[in-house]
Amino acid sequence: MSPSSLQMSRRIRRTPYTRRVEQCGVRGYSVVNHMILPKAFGPDVEDDYWHLRENVQVWDVSTQRQVALQGPNAADLVQWMTPRDLTDMQVGQCRYAPLVDEHGCLINDPVLLKLSPQHFWLSIADSDVLLWAKGLARGANLDVCVTEPDVSPLAVQGPKAEEVVAGVFGDAVRALKFFQFGWFPFAGTQQLVARSGYSRQGGFEIYLHGAEYGEPLWDAIWDAGVAHNIRAGCPNLIERIEGGLLSYGNEFTRDDNPIECGLSAFCDLDADIETLGGPALRAIVDRGVERNMRGIQVAAPRQHSAVTQPWPVYSDDEQIGIITSGIWSPRLKTHVGLSILPRAYWEPGQSVVVMTPDGSQHDGIVSALPFP
Amino acid sequence: MSPSSLQMSRRIRRTPYTRRVEQCGVRGYSVVNHMILPKAFGPDVEDDYWHLRENVQVWDVSTQRQVALQGPNAADLVQWMTPRDLTDMQVGQCRYAPLVDEHGCLINDPVLLKLSPQHFWLSIADSDVLLWAKGLARGANLDVCVTEPDVSPLAVQGPKAEEVVAGVFGDAVRALKFFQFGWFPFAGTQQLVARSGYSRQGGFEIYLHGAEYGEPLWDAIWDAGVAHNIRAGCPNLIERIEGGLLSYGNEFTRDDNPIECGLSAFCDLDADIETLGGPALRAIVDRGVERNMRGIQVAAPRQHSAVTQPWPVYSDDEQIGIITSGIWSPRLKTHVGLSILPRAYWEPGQSVVVMTPDGSQHDGIVSALPFP
């Protein structure tokens, strides 16, 4: 299958950084939340991978749109939406918070930010959480305002990220702990900076408020990064799969529940909270967890592209799963992929068989996540 | 700006027809409702335009996902979601039904199908109406089940469409009136066929239930169409702009209301119905309608591509609108575009000034819709 072009229109929104991304030679996009997400720079994804592990990159992740919940019932609404116990959450914290419906099925898996006791942001993956939150609020007559503010996150990722971000926002950002945020000065404004990001290499995300500051922010990061060999990049498929970072719509969908997707740690089913999916999730646990998220190493000859359509996983001719995201790992010298697998096959070391797009079958070995 | 490739993944869903579309040489896609929409075939959009006006085309419009509302409160919920009066809607009818929130702002503009008094489908444009409907239903404790069934519409459009569809489903389809649907046999199943579609050339949409029938249906349409010079196509930008067919996310967004987007005819504000956006829309009418949707003819030298970023519209150096979709019309020998315009400038014949991406300014003339 040859690559097809993405036909642009107003409906596929550009970001405050798109002109800079184009100037840096972006080669391909995905579409997330009705907005373009840069997905390819430089010669190839492996070159980007090694660069990310050793240097610093700036990523346009504006597609992580913010759904703002504000008002007297904002805390009630957000707790209703997620099975994660938010009782002790402090202002200035980020929390990964799966959202589920009344069946315990996944609506999204955002990072939640608590800006004040009555003001939260959900930094979302690819589904219209705004409509879900607004629908619940209007249906239940909650006193909460649900909006999408003019906020476009820019990620700075990699081992040199702290040097770069401190160069722009000052040394105070160094004190931020993982999944903590603060407000820092930029161009006469105060901007939210968090120690977070969609990689395992460490870094920061600047939740830029005000599209008009997009190019000045990009340029300031760039200027501070030149000495650290900065590049324009994007969430790196090799790095995220090795790191066991999941993607809503790829690894799990509205057909899946967090208990059986490796997200049990973020479901506080014994907490005394009022949460929409609680009863359904408890029933899944009581019934017995039947499947879970795992890695698979696939000993296939190196494929020319990442997994674009799921690769089926078999045991004794029975299909037991699908590799939903997968790619060649230049570090592990094998393909690495992610699949939900049934209990009987989920032990690390389990042998499976994986079919690649040409129809050939290859040995696979189940792995814990992250990959070693 | 050179075209960028669309990076494929499971999250960007393929359709039951994608393999056939690829075999027909698709060159480009858009993404709608987390699924690929073919957007370019053949030598160019003008060639497709002339072909569509004289022959018949088959379009993969699976991205028109169905949101099914089923249950005792289904009719209440759908009426709550749209200001269009559904009181007299019959089973077997389609209705264009803008959906609005409590501010009267547009959530989507689906075609509504009434399958039974307790069963509706919303055939949606690009936003997660499923989450909106589910949120309202759960919040208000309505007895209605909200799902996305395995339904993938295939459109057959153009003056020869009736011959082709009758060739597959039998002569009974000829009796369908515009925006009426019925059930017709195919491969041992009953399938929903409507006289409808996103063009002004006439035609049908088959709401195929069951992805496994996708390729057999495509092939049956193709076989019946060969004698009528059938081609694979897609919603044609020239034809839809000339025809005044609007696109959610392009011509209007969640910032706009239907009264000021040319959709007043679909808002029954004096009806005795319980509808969420009613009070807000009545307030807009009482305040006085300040803007509306119009066409603009732009006398610019022929541009090499359609409008991908809005073209600003001016009068006396003041910006008064943006052309959100626009393209060269080979029939009218000028550019045609769509813009919301303020009352002072909305009379057909009004002179305006339009800026093209190279920064040059060109004379524009306001037009009624559809274009003549």
Side-chain angles (χ1 to χ4, degrees), chain A residues 58-324:
Chain A
V58 54
W59 299 354
D60 175 3
V61 290
S62 301
T63 56
Q64 296 169 195
R65 305 310 296 163
Q66 306 307 301
V67 177
L69 311 180
Q70 262 183 294
N73 291 138
D76 301 327
L77 177 58
V78 71
Q79 184 64 83
W80 200 29
M81 293 168 72
T82 180
R84 184 147 191 201
D85 184 359
L86 305 176
T87 312
D88 65 347
M89 186 176 183
Q90 304 297 311
V91 170
Q93 286 186 339
C94 308
R95 285 214 181 149
Y96 181 66
L99 308 183
V100 300
D101 69 9
E102 72 276 21
H103 306 298
C105 290
L106 280 155
I107 297 292
N108 203 290
D109 67 329
V111 172
L112 172 65
L113 292 83
K114 184 168 181 173
L115 280 73
S116 87
Q118 294 196 356
H119 190 187
F120 297 83
W121 284 353
L122 295 160
S123 187
I124 61 171
D126 187 30
S127 72
D128 292 337
V129 171
L130 182 141
L131 297 183
W132 175 237
K134 255 174 89 91
L136 290 170
R138 289 296 75 73
N141 254 319
L142 298 178
D143 190 357
V144 53
C145 183
V146 181
T147 58
E148 180 181 304
D150 174 17
V151 172
S152 298
L154 187 67
V156 184
Q157 300 285 297
K160 308 288 177 57
E162 186 172 309
E163 294 307 312
V164 175
V165 174
V168 173
F169 291 95
D171 282 332
V173 297
R174 299 183 193 272
L176 287 174
K177 299 197 179 97
F178 182 66
F179 261 38
Q180 208 179 32
F181 69 81
W183 297 88
F184 300 89
F186 180 77
T189 68
Q190 292 288 315
Q191 297 290 349
L192 191 160
V193 180
R195 192 184 286 269
S196 58
Y198 197 53
S199 85
R200 296 282 188 191
Q201 306 308 313
F204 295 80
E205 290 176 300
I206 300 125
Y207 285 72
L208 181 73
H209 206 139
E212 67 273 29
Y213 299 106
E215 294 185 4
L217 175 62
W218 179 283
D219 294 343
I221 296 283
W222 194 269
D223 290 345
V226 167
H228 303 286
N229 194 24
I230 197 168
R231 277 195 201 168
C234 52
N236 186 281
L237 195 55
I238 305 169
E239 202 272 347
R240 88 151 174 92
I241 294 173
E242 286 184 357
L245 295 173
L246 310 178
S247 160
Y248 183 73
N250 285 310
E251 276 62 74
F252 41 68
T253 72
R254 218 173 46 240
D255 293 330
D256 302 303
N257 65 73
I259 304 291
E260 296 181 319
C261 291
L263 305 181
S264 289
F266 309 105
C267 300
D268 297 309
L269 301 184
D270 296 328
D272 183 24
I273 54 175
E274 197 159 333
T275 187
L276 179 61
L281 294 176
R282 274 188 291 273
I284 289 165
V285 170
D286 291 346
R287 181 199 73 200
V289 175
E290 291 170 359
R291 47 190 211 137
N292 220 326
M293 189 67 65
R294 289 292 182 267
I296 301 180
Q297 296 199 4
V298 186
R302 186 171 172 171
Q303 306 288 310
H304 293 299
S305 88
V307 169
T308 56
Q309 297 179 52
W311 294 359
V313 182
Y314 299 90
S315 177
D316 293 333
D317 294 332
E318 182 197 0
Q319 189 177 337
I320 57 170
I322 50 172
I323 290 182
T324 47

Side-chain angles (χ1 to χ4, degrees), chain B residues 33 52 115 135 149 219 230 299:
Chain B
N33 291 322
L52 171 64
L115 280 74
D219 294 343
I230 196 168

Side-chain angles (χ1 to χ4, degrees), chain B residues 13-26:
Chain B
R13 297 179 290 179
R14 290 165 64 88
T15 89
Y17 316 112
T18 300
R19 289 206 314 176
R20 290 292 183 265
V21 162
E22 289 171 345
Q23 288 161 0
C24 289
V26 64

Side-chain angles (χ1 to χ4, degrees), chain A residues 1 4-7 10-11 14 22 29-31 34 101-102 126 128 134 138 248 250 309, chain B residues 1 4-7 10-11 14 22 29-31 34 101-102 126 128 134 138 248 250 309:
Chain A
M1 190 178 63
S4 284
S5 69
L6 174 62
Q7 306 280 300
R10 182 191 184 209
R11 185 176 50 75
R14 292 166 63 89
E22 290 171 346
Y29 290 108
S30 187
V31 177
H34 318 281
D101 69 9
E102 72 276 21
D126 187 30
D128 292 337
K134 255 174 89 91
R138 289 296 75 73
Y248 183 73
N250 285 310
Q309 297 179 52
Chain B
M1 189 179 63
S4 284
S5 69
L6 174 62
Q7 307 279 301
R10 182 192 184 209
R11 185 176 51 74
R14 290 165 64 88
E22 289 171 345
Y29 290 108
S30 187
V31 176
H34 317 280
D101 69 9
E102 73 276 21
D126 186 30
D128 292 337
K134 256 176 88 89
R138 289 297 73 75
Y248 184 72
N250 285 312
Q309 298 179 51

